[in-house]
Amino acid sequence: MTAIMEMRGITKTFPGVKALDDVNLVVQPGEIHAICGENGAGKSTLMKVLSGVYPHGSYDGEILFEGRPMAFRGIQDSEEKGIIIIHQELALVPLLSIAENIFLGNEVATNGHIDWPETYKRTSDVLAKVGLREPANIAVGKLGVGKQQLVEIAKALSKRVKLLILDEPTASLQENDSETLLNLMLEFKAQGITSIIISHKLNEIRRVADSVTVLRDGHTVSTMSAPFSEEQIIRQMVGRDMNSRFPDRVPNIGKLLLEVDHWSVRHPEHAERMVVRDVSFNVHAGEIVGIAGLMGAGRTEVAMSVFGQSYGLKTGGTVKMDGVEVDTSNVRRAVAAGLAYVTEDRKGLGLILEDPILRNTTLSALPKVSRNGVLDTGAERQVAEDYRRAMAIRTPGVFQKVMNLSGGNQQKVVLSKWLFTDPKVLILDEPTRGIDVGAKFEIYAIINDLAAQGRGVVVISSEMPELLGLCDRIYVMNEGAFVGELAREDASQERIMSMIVKGKEEHHGRVA
Amino acid sequence: MAASPEAPGLGSYFRNNLREYGILVALVVIMGYFQFATGGVLMRPVNLTNLFLQNSYIIIMALGMLLVIVSGHIDLSVGSVAGFVGGLAAVMLVHWQWPVAVVIPVCLIAGAAIGAAQGYWIAYWKIPSFIVTLAGMLVFRGLALWWLEGASVGPFPRSFQALSTGFVPDLFGVGKPNVTALVLGCLAAATLVYLSVRARARQKKYGIEDEPFVIFAVKNAMIVFALVFISYLLATYRGLPNVLITMAVLISAYTFLTQSTTLGRRIYAIGGNEKAAKLSGINTERLTFLTFANMGMLAALAGLVFAARLNTATPKAGVGFELDVIAAVFIGGASMSGGAGKIVGAVIGAFIMGVMNNGMSILGIGIDYQQVIKGLVLLAAVIFDVYNKNRQG
């Protein structure tokens, strides 16, 4: 069997950095080929070389497609050959319809005059292929992320794709949408379409991929054929054995810190919709509590509502800290009460990307580095340096703009910012989203440290193994309500899933 | 400004801070060119004095506009507000015979109230500032016409004119050259040098000095030379204009506000990422509101200075000022999306526009070409910014 696509000895240098160093990638026709590696390993760069974003001549090495050497000058060239890449950030225009998006830049037209009947016919053809039952004239912005992803794939199909590249396709999807997408990939495989998938979700790779190429620091480490185990991949990725994906910890649980009682929240725009219904939970000093649930279950909404009513319209409920009722009706009051919320959307809600680490670190507690409103820049720098060291943020200095940092380091900056407010309880929303395996371990270690310092920690995560590995106690949430609570020793992925599915009260031995 | 751990070379330091020095160099080059082209008229004491008087109101408004633009907004109404407040003052002074000491504070409060009224819709109702202030631009232009009944009102009492065309008297009684001007100029230079030496010492203490000593020394020498030289030139004419003192005080105050206070830092944070700022516990609404109230107050001050300079208030006063002010801020390197920009930059940007206006007028270049050239300079400055950013990114 000859390879459909082969990349030989690809080397790509940026000023001062060798992003790819002699990378080889061989993809067989009709297979699903996974590419794994930590953030910064060179996966995206490699795909940009392949799709012509970095044109021929800006890198060394050669690309063979269907046996012939290729010299792509731009993305149009590669698309013409049938190589289509779907980026993690979807490139759809929200206000245009599905049909308009699918044929954007590739309109069914003669002399600039669009043939709408033909456009709609072809649109429904490709929509049928991806199994998306939506009218072709509906605006893309009205669809959920999962369906938008399918529109992207339909767009690729409309261009007669031979090699489909999916960059982190399931990163922002909920479980059942991911499932749909993975099944679709398998279906395409049956139809003879070759795919490359880049993903951090090793269980998904194990499920669908026929082979996996692991990159590390711009080098090809290995290519393995199925079957392979998650542990094998991790070992290749980090270059060392990871005996445990979670650092050891001996819980030392103290007094009751945070109690949220009967919390209810309405949707900010659709007031008739209850997003959070009568939710109660608590956290003790030194305890790590998890909130499990599918995306859209209302976990972020509870957290943000409790934290200064930053989401929706609160209709009822109380917050107590150390047994005393506190006012958390805006962010300042919530912070004053000892709460901190680390958002799931680091770039959108957590950081000022254009600003340096220093300014991001002190933003929530500026009065601590100032007197009468006048900043003490020396003290501020000291604080930023201290956190940089404590958190092991890998950067040349605290004047580095956070936009230039990796996901893991950015998360450490957000954590620094909130730790500087010295909170009693931290709510961490998807703390390891988009962070590679090595950095995840570090974040887990930090979370454990926070608990060891006697703070209460609430972790919201869509990755159940993460909750099971970290938490002393797990609340299960579904459709805006808490449907169960599990102690560490009783918790398992199956139990959590079944609670979500049954959606009914199920109380198990509370730990206190 | 990324501080690299090892001491950077002169060349690379200069390249990394191209924007900041670039604009200063541009001002010097432009001044040099016009000094040459006008055969020395540009830097003549009388013209220099005029240059300050002509640009004072633009610079005053640029200070407020910088904050507005840094917070991620825009204010198109400042020209109309300045015109309206000028008219307000005129009627109070001329028709109602109110004393100057009452009129000035009342007008400043009125300006702040106008700014606050616009800021209210922008901050609390989330109505785009472009729309609100475009409406304000029309409304206050109309109100100025109505208030003045379409006519010019003037002249003003001497004490009001002094706001713009007055000069600091020579306390040493020499008169010519004006020793007070010289002394104040030297004092200002000495203060600036003292402050920058102290700042550098502090940076050294924390190990963050990244400006090579040569640049530091040359920069300070230039500042001292410029201040002493300019104050000398002014001294040989009539001394320091009052408005120059006002400007100097305001520029210092706003530089301090933006660089050294929590308030300033928070305004930058709002422009950088409003949602993140809000989730960090910053009262984004109130700060946005205050930013506009402040802009209104400075627009009112500019309106007073402008009226005082012309010694009459006309319904057409301030037409198009907003464009000069916004151009000055962007030439000064402020980010179009908010979150970045410096007071010094905005002031230098305003001077670049001012020197070009003045120089081209002396050369007898028509208003038509002047507009074209100013437009191209604005475009070039912003293109230079974007180019720089892409190069670094």
Side-chain angles (χ1 to χ4, degrees):
Chain A
M1 194 158 56
T2 57
I4 181 171
M5 200 280 298
E6 194 173 350
M7 298 178 87
R8 285 187 194 152
I10 303 288
T11 299
K12 168 82 189 164
T13 27
F14 295 109
V17 204
K18 218 172 201 181
L20 296 174
D21 188 3
D22 193 22
V23 170
N24 297 298
L25 176 66
V26 182
V27 179
Q28 303 298 343
E31 72 164 347
I32 298 179
H33 195 111
I35 300 180
C36 290
E38 296 191 330
N39 287 348
K43 295 164 300 188
S44 299
T45 311
L46 188 66
M47 290 305 108
K48 282 179 181 167
V49 167
L50 174 57
S51 58
V53 173
Y54 299 132
H56 181 75
S58 70
Y59 56 88
D60 295 322
E62 56 176 348
I63 302 174
L64 298 177
F65 188 61
E66 296 179 314
R68 281 195 302 272
M70 294 287 140
F72 300 133
R73 279 162 309 171
I75 219 160
Q76 292 91 338
D77 287 0
S78 61
E79 287 200 347
E80 202 171 287
K81 298 285 178 200
I83 300 176
I84 290 174
I85 181 160
I86 296 176
H87 293 281
Q88 192 177 351
E89 278 96 26
L90 298 178
L92 296 171
V93 186
L95 290 175
L96 293 185
S97 71
I98 294 181
E100 285 168 318
N101 266 291
I102 286 180
F103 290 99
L104 191 62
N106 189 26
E107 291 84 359
V108 191
T110 42
N111 300 326
H113 176 81
I114 295 178
D115 181 352
W116 286 110
E118 178 66 17
T119 302
Y120 281 114
K121 191 183 155 294
R122 290 201 205 167
T123 303
S124 36
D125 287 351
V126 285
L127 288 186
K129 277 190 199 161
V130 298
L132 181 61
R133 276 186 295 276
E134 290 287 344
N137 60 1
I138 194 175
V140 159
K142 293 194 171 154
L143 305 175
V145 193
K147 286 181 176 174
Q148 290 192 12
Q149 187 79 255
L150 293 179
V151 173
E152 276 274 19
I153 293 170
K155 186 175 175 181
L157 290 183
S158 77
K159 293 178 189 162
R160 281 189 298 280
V161 60
K162 287 178 191 163
L163 176 62
L164 182 65
I165 304 166
L166 296 158
D167 190 356
E168 299 262 6
T170 60
S172 49
L173 297 190
Q174 21 178 317
E175 203 107 343
N176 45 348
D177 282 339
S178 300
E179 202 56 33
T180 314
L181 188 83
L182 296 174
N183 287 333
L184 195 61
M185 288 187 72
L186 292 171
E187 217 171 281
F188 286 165
K189 182 176 140 189
Q191 293 169 18
I193 297 175
T194 315
S195 312
I196 294 179
I197 177 173
I198 297 176
S199 179
H200 282 303
K201 297 188 179 169
L202 302 181
N203 54 340
E204 293 178 355
I205 288 178
R206 205 169 54 87
R207 228 196 92 195
V208 298
D210 300 298
S211 47
V212 54
T213 295
V214 178
L215 296 183
R216 191 200 314 149
D217 303 331
H219 298 270
T220 328
V221 179
S222 67
T223 297
M224 295 181 283
S225 297
F228 36 72
S229 70
E230 288 178 38
E231 279 64 35
Q232 268 177 304
I233 302 177
I234 291 174
R235 209 177 307 136
Q236 307 274 1
M237 277 167 67
V238 299
R240 59 178 186 273
D241 271 311
M242 291 257 281
N243 295 327
S244 164
R245 285 154 79 172
F246 299 94
D248 290 329
R249 161 170 172 259
V250 181
N252 177 16
I253 295 169
K255 63 177 175 138
L256 191 58
L257 278 181
L258 175 75
E259 293 167 86
V260 175
D261 283 309
H262 305 294
W263 201 264
S264 293
V265 182
R266 287 183 194 279
H267 191 277
E269 275 118 41
H270 310 290
E272 73 287 352
R273 258 180 65 194
M274 294 299 291
V275 181
V276 176
R277 285 179 285 132
D278 197 26
V279 161
S280 300
F281 64 97
N282 58 55
V283 195
H284 297 77
E287 187 183 32
I288 303 178
V289 172
I291 302 180
L294 302 176
M295 251 186 231
R299 296 166 303 169
T300 298
E301 288 78 1
V302 181
M304 287 186 69
S305 176
V306 169
F307 185 69
Q309 295 180 23
S310 304
Y311 171 88
L313 311 160
K314 177 197 159 193
T315 57
T318 56
V319 181
K320 282 187 200 161
M321 188 67 85
D322 292 325
V324 183
E325 190 168 336
V326 288
D327 178 6
T328 65
S329 58
N330 67 38
V331 174
R332 264 159 302 133
R333 289 179 188 147
V335 172
L339 267 179
Y341 168 70
V342 176
T343 168
E344 60 174 340
D345 182 3
R346 268 195 300 283
K347 292 183 181 175
L349 302 176
L351 293 167
I352 295 169
L353 292 170
E354 287 272 351
D355 273 358
I357 295 172
L358 172 103
R359 287 180 164 219
N360 275 288
T361 304
T362 55
L363 187 60
S364 288
L366 282 176
K368 288 175 111 172
V369 287
S370 61
R371 210 177 320 137
N372 302 322
V374 178
L375 289 166
D376 180 345
T377 43
E380 186 181 21
R381 176 172 162 104
Q382 202 64 57
V383 166
E385 284 290 355
D386 289 348
Y387 277 103
R388 182 172 77 98
R389 231 165 291 137
M391 294 277 181
I393 300 170
R394 274 177 281 282
T395 153
V398 292
F399 288 95
Q400 186 75 34
K401 286 184 181 178
V402 293
M403 64 192 286
N404 297 330
L405 301 180
S406 69
N409 283 322
Q410 286 183 346
Q411 185 69 301
K412 290 177 189 172
V413 175
V414 183
L415 283 167
S416 304
K417 172 171 92 173
W418 286 112
L419 277 181
F420 186 48
T421 68
D422 196 18
K424 290 176 185 161
V425 174
L426 289 103
I427 305 175
L428 312 179
D429 198 349
E430 302 284 2
T432 64
R433 170 175 292 173
I435 291 175
D436 52 56
V437 177
K440 270 186 186 176
F441 189 86
E442 287 183 71
I443 300 288
Y444 296 147
I446 292 171
I447 294 173
N448 286 351
D449 268 354
L450 297 180
Q453 292 162 12
R455 303 179 204 273
V457 182
V458 179
V459 178
I460 298 172
S461 177
S462 295
E463 292 183 36
M464 279 188 236
E466 182 167 285
L467 291 178
L468 296 170
L470 276 177
C471 299
D472 302 311
R473 196 151 53 92
I474 298 174
Y475 291 97
V476 182
M477 190 168 186
N478 191 40
E479 292 177 353
F482 277 14
V483 291
E485 180 184 345
L486 293 164
R488 184 189 192 107
E489 49 276 16
D490 301 328
S492 67
Q493 294 207 33
E494 292 73 26
R495 295 271 309 250
I496 295 175
M497 267 326 281
S498 80
M499 279 182 168
I500 291 173
V501 173
K502 282 186 214 149
K504 62 181 186 188
E505 286 288 327
E506 196 177 328
H507 279 281
H508 283 267
R510 282 171 161 252
V511 283
Chain B
M1 35 163 197
S4 33
E6 75 277 13
L10 252 183
S12 77
Y13 177 79
F14 204 69
R15 266 195 304 282
N16 287 334
N17 294 276
L18 202 55
R19 191 57 174 91
E20 287 177 24
Y21 296 106
I23 181 172
L24 194 59
V25 170
L27 177 63
V28 171
V29 167
I30 290 172
M31 287 183 75
Y33 169 76
F34 281 113
Q35 171 72 359
F36 172 76
T38 60
V41 175
L42 184 83
M43 296 290 275
R44 267 192 206 152
V46 56
N47 190 56
L48 200 65
T49 304
N50 250 328
L51 196 62
F52 283 120
L53 297 185
Q54 270 171 11
N55 291 294
S56 52
Y57 39 90
I58 299 294
I59 290 171
I60 289 169
M61 287 193 281
L63 302 175
M65 190 64 80
L66 180 95
L67 290 181
V68 168
I69 286 174
V70 157
S71 74
H73 292 282
I74 193 88
D75 191 338
L76 300 174
S77 71
V78 294
S80 296
V81 173
F84 174 69
V85 173
L88 201 62
V91 169
M92 287 174 183
L93 287 165
V94 178
H95 293 345
W96 302 350
Q97 301 281 320
W98 285 15
V100 174
V102 174
V103 170
I104 291 177
V106 167
C107 284
L108 292 182
I109 290 168
I114 290 169
Q118 301 190 84
Y120 170 75
W121 299 109
I122 295 161
Y124 295 100
W125 286 69
K126 311 282 176 219
I127 296 174
S129 53
F130 187 92
I131 303 295
V132 173
T133 60
L134 181 63
M137 179 178 169
L138 297 169
V139 166
F140 292 104
R141 178 59 55 206
L143 285 179
L145 263 168
W146 163 78
W147 180 255
L148 290 170
E149 294 167 333
S152 297
V153 175
F156 303 129
R158 277 224 155 273
S159 56
F160 184 74
Q161 289 177 45
L163 200 57
S164 172
T165 48
F167 291 84
V168 180
D170 194 351
L171 303 169
F172 299 89
V174 179
K176 217 157 205 176
N178 186 310
V179 180
T180 312
L182 273 174
V183 169
L184 281 178
C186 294
L187 220 59
T191 312
L192 277 180
V193 170
Y194 167 73
L195 286 176
S196 62
V197 166
R198 205 182 63 168
R200 191 176 168 83
R202 282 183 72 108
Q203 287 180 351
K204 208 163 196 163
K205 198 174 110 197
Y206 289 104
I208 49 173
E209 56 153 13
D210 63 347
E211 193 178 46
F213 181 75
V214 184
I215 290 187
F216 174 78
V218 169
K219 198 174 78 179
N220 277 291
M222 273 172 64
I223 290 172
V224 169
F225 174 76
L227 282 175
V228 173
F229 183 59
I230 288 172
S231 58
Y232 167 75
L233 288 179
L234 293 174
T236 59
Y237 184 51
R238 294 178 58 187
L240 296 181
N242 287 339
V243 71
L244 189 64
I245 305 289
T246 313
M247 270 161 53
V249 169
L250 286 176
I251 291 170
S252 318
Y254 281 88
T255 303
F256 180 74
L257 174 84
T258 51
Q259 307 217 318
S260 305
T261 66
T262 56
L263 189 71
R265 176 66 62 79
R266 286 172 177 156
I267 291 173
Y268 279 81
I270 292 174
N273 184 343
E274 187 179 352
K275 288 176 183 164
K278 197 168 174 57
L279 266 187
S280 298
I282 292 172
N283 193 339
T284 54
E285 286 90 358
R286 194 171 66 192
L287 281 183
T288 307
F289 173 78
L290 289 176
T291 305
F292 275 92
N294 172 68
M295 179 75 255
M297 190 190 68
L298 288 175
L301 179 60
L304 295 179
V305 169
F306 185 69
R309 182 171 142 69
L310 292 189
N311 199 14
T312 179
T314 77
K316 285 280 168 205
V319 171
F321 279 10
E322 59 282 343
L323 303 179
D324 278 346
V325 172
I326 293 167
V329 172
F330 283 133
I331 289 177
S335 158
M336 277 134 274
S337 51
K342 282 188 168 176
I343 288 288
V344 183
V347 171
I348 295 177
F351 271 119
I352 286 181
M353 298 284 282
V355 168
M356 287 200 323
N357 277 336
N358 183 271
M360 288 192 290
S361 297
I362 298 172
L363 290 178
I365 296 176
I367 192 84
D368 42 1
Y369 287 111
Q370 287 198 20
Q371 299 269 7
V372 172
I373 292 170
K374 273 157 62 184
L376 291 178
V377 166
L378 170 63
L379 185 64
V382 175
I383 290 173
F384 183 68
D385 257 1
V386 172
Y387 167 78
N388 246 332
K389 211 169 178 180
N390 290 343
R391 197 181 49 104
Q392 286 173 354

